[in-house]
Amino acid sequence: MFVRIVKLSFHQKHIPTFLEIFEKKKQFIRASKGCTLLELYQDKNNPDIFFTYSHWNEESDLENYRKSALFKDVWAKTKVFFNDKPLAWSVDKK
């Protein structure tokens, strides 16, 4: 198992729409093969910054999700709201 952490920075006016998209799609992302956890966090000091934490059984499970129509749909709708380049890390839980 490994953890995928993604930092997303949004224009403030788009945050409600992003949250609406996340709320509608999170159950489908969580149901993706190999996904055992998906959580969303908002930075306490800068409310424009969010982090997603997802746990995956195998790296191939994440890659399959990233190639899926679901990911492409969510990403296309979300990336237009960014105010900075997203950052991502894949880390092993110890």
Side-chain angles (χ1 to χ4, degrees), residues 13-56:
K13 67 182 181 179
H14 296 302
I15 291 173
T17 305
F18 163 70
L19 291 173
E20 183 179 309
I21 292 168
F22 185 85
E23 192 62 32
K24 287 180 182 176
K25 299 295 183 176
K26 68 183 180 184
Q27 67 188 17
F28 300 108
I29 298 168
R30 287 177 178 149
S32 296
K33 181 182 181 290
C35 181
T36 61
L37 176 83
L38 172 66
E39 296 179 324
L40 179 67
Y41 300 94
Q42 187 174 26
D43 189 278
K44 283 189 163 295
N45 298 314
N46 184 344
D48 297 348
I49 297 175
F50 289 80
F51 296 88
T52 60
Y53 279 64
S54 55
H55 292 190
W56 298 87

Side-chain angles (χ1 to χ4, degrees), residues 57-90:
N57 289 328
E58 304 288 337
E59 287 187 46
S60 60
D61 293 328
L62 173 61
E63 288 309 311
N64 288 335
Y65 163 67
R66 292 184 69 212
K67 293 175 185 175
S68 72
L70 173 61
F71 175 82
K72 290 175 185 174
D73 177 55
V74 171
W75 195 249
K77 290 176 180 173
T78 302
K79 69 181 181 179
V80 296
F81 302 143
F82 295 157
N83 68 10
D84 200 359
K85 182 180 176 181
L87 300 173
W89 299 267
S90 292

